[in-house]
């Protein structure tokens, strides 16, 4: 596990005047494409340090956002008032990357809840992308439907009440990664507010309705032992997206954060092979 302090954040301003942090790792030689990372819960841009090193070595320009209220970004911690705001901030980062490297093919990788937000982004901006990698999609979660419904209801009465905690131990089988997460001040005591749960549920509902409109090349990845999200959600995405070029890979026994889990090299190899095929 690479520490998040090894690569310093940069910032742009949101429409609300908040400082939104991101990281940029430069290609070792002449860049051939751009990859933008979007993180999920219990995470931030620093968790893409190792994947970024693998990608930049293969001459990809790599960017990773800290969504508002997370990582080094401004905003109420872990609070999503409107998921569309987060999609808009992701769009700003894609625009920034493309203006810095005009003409390069651009790919997006969204992890978990970041995969949900990225999927909404794909619905709205397919013309800006050459492909989408969806990792550990938080389209279906282990919580019972009635519990999610209760949390959505509470979001109207107590929007800022912190109610949903994910276990760091469920993210990786690598004990060093879990220890890093447990000591990381940027995700310390991370508990999701009811409003955040409601907004992700609304995004999921929109995807269920509109998923067939996605036609980009897709690489969908999930671990079969993921306790935070269900592999069946990734299967649903694969089955319902209209993309002709789509691949689903299920990794037997892998946990939630595939790029910080044991055997992450296998997953990274699959991502690099897919990306390289798309830009060659």
């Amino acid at each position: 596990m690479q520490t998040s302090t090894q690569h310093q954040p940069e910032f742009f301003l949101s429409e609300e005047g908040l400082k939104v942090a991101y990281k940029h790792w430069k290609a070792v030689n002449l860049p051939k494409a751009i990859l933008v990372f979007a993180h999920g819960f219990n995470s931030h841009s620093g968790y893409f340090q190792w994947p970024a090193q693998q990608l930049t070595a293969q001459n990809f320009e790599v960017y990773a956002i800290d969504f508002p209220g997370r990582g080094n970004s401004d905003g109420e911690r872990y609070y999503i008032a409107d998921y569309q705001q987060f999609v808009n901030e992701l769009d700003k980062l894609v625009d920034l990357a493309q203006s810095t490297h005009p003409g390069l093919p651009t790919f997006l990788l969204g992890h978990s809840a970041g995969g949900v937000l990225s999927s909404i982004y794909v619905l709205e901006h397919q013309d800006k992308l050459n492909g989408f990698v969806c990792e550990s999609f938080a389209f279906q979660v282990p919580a019972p439907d009635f519990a999610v419904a209760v949390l959505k209801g509470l979001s109207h009465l107590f929007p800022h009440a912190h109610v949903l905690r994910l276990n760091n131990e469920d993210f990786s089988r690598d004990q060093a990664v879990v220890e890093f997460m447990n000591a990381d001040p940027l995700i310390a005591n991370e508990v999701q507010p009811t409003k955040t749960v409601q907004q992700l549920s609304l995004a999921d509902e929109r995807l269920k309705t509109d998923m067939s409109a996605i036609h980009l090349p897709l690489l969908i990845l999930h671990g079969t032992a993921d306790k935070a999200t269900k592999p069946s959600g990734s299967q649903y995405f694969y089955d319902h997206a209209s993309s002709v070029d789509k691949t689903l890979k299920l990794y037997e026994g892998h946990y939630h954060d595939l790029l910080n889990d044991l055997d992450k090299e296998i997953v990274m190899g699959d991502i690099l092979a897919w990306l390289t095929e798309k830009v060659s």
Side-chain angles (χ1 to χ4, degrees):
M1 181 72 201
Q2 301 289 335
T3 67
S4 57
T5 57
Q6 289 183 314
H7 206 87
Q8 294 304 307
E10 302 174 59
F11 299 90
F12 61 86
L13 288 180
S14 72
E15 293 174 1
E16 295 76 18
L18 299 175
K19 289 171 63 178
V20 178
Y22 69 95
K23 289 179 179 167
H24 174 207
W25 295 265
K26 295 182 179 180
V28 172
N29 294 306
L30 186 68
K32 60 186 178 184
I34 298 164
L35 180 71
V36 178
F37 282 110
H39 68 84
F41 294 165
N42 292 38
S43 189
H44 51 73
S45 60
Y47 287 84
F48 298 111
Q49 177 79 20
W50 180 82
Q53 289 173 338
Q54 314 312 304
L55 287 155
T56 55
Q58 299 300 317
N59 298 316
F60 287 85
E61 289 286 322
V62 179
Y63 291 79
I65 195 168
D66 282 353
F67 283 115
R70 297 169 190 272
N72 288 290
S73 290
D74 290 345
E76 182 177 342
R77 299 305 286 175
Y78 317 129
Y79 188 78
I80 301 178
D82 182 350
Y83 73 76
Q84 188 64 51
Q85 176 199 355
F86 282 51
V87 174
N88 293 345
E89 304 311 341
L90 187 56
D91 189 39
K92 287 189 179 71
L93 183 57
V94 171
D95 283 348
L96 186 155
Q98 292 181 332
S99 65
T100 305
H101 314 283
L104 287 186
T106 304
F107 300 87
L108 177 62
L109 187 153
H111 176 247
S112 191
V116 174
L117 296 168
S118 295
S119 296
I120 298 291
Y121 179 85
V122 169
L123 278 175
E124 298 178 357
H125 300 287
Q126 293 189 77
D127 58 314
K128 293 186 178 183
L129 299 174
N130 297 84
F132 175 40
V133 183
C134 191
E135 179 201 351
S136 306
F137 194 29
F139 181 67
Q140 294 179 355
V141 296
D145 290 342
F146 76 86
V148 175
V150 168
L151 292 177
K152 286 171 65 179
L154 286 173
S155 71
H156 299 290
L157 299 172
F158 308 104
H160 302 273
H162 288 237
V163 293
L164 177 64
R165 180 190 298 274
L166 299 183
N167 296 319
N168 292 335
E169 291 75 15
D170 292 342
F171 277 62
S172 178
R173 296 165 294 166
D174 185 338
Q175 190 56 36
V177 171
V178 175
E179 290 173 1
F180 175 85
M181 295 177 72
N182 288 338
D184 184 357
L186 294 178
I187 63 168
N189 304 310
E190 178 164 339
V191 185
Q192 312 307 322
T194 56
K195 188 68 172 179
T196 296
V197 176
Q198 180 229 25
Q199 286 298 304
L200 265 294
S201 295
L202 290 176
D204 279 343
E205 290 169 10
R206 179 178 172 190
L207 287 174
K208 192 167 186 178
T209 300
D210 298 341
M211 195 175 280
S212 62
I214 293 177
H215 53 76
L216 272 181
L218 295 176
L219 177 61
I220 304 169
L221 313 172
H222 220 118
T224 63
D226 189 340
K227 300 175 185 177
T229 59
K230 292 182 179 180
S232 56
S234 286
Q235 182 70 57
Y236 187 97
F237 190 14
Y238 177 81
D239 291 340
H240 289 82
S242 295
S243 308
V244 175
D245 181 353
K246 56 183 176 180
T247 301
L248 172 65
K249 287 186 175 289
L250 300 177
Y251 297 93
E252 187 64 34
H254 288 226
Y255 274 22
H256 185 57
D257 190 349
L258 296 172
L259 293 174
N260 283 297
D261 195 10
L262 298 178
D263 297 324
K264 61 187 177 183
E265 295 83 4
I266 296 172
V267 180
M268 192 72 241
D270 289 339
I271 293 171
L272 276 170
W274 185 83
L275 290 169
T276 300
E277 176 189 304
K278 297 292 174 277
V279 298
S280 59

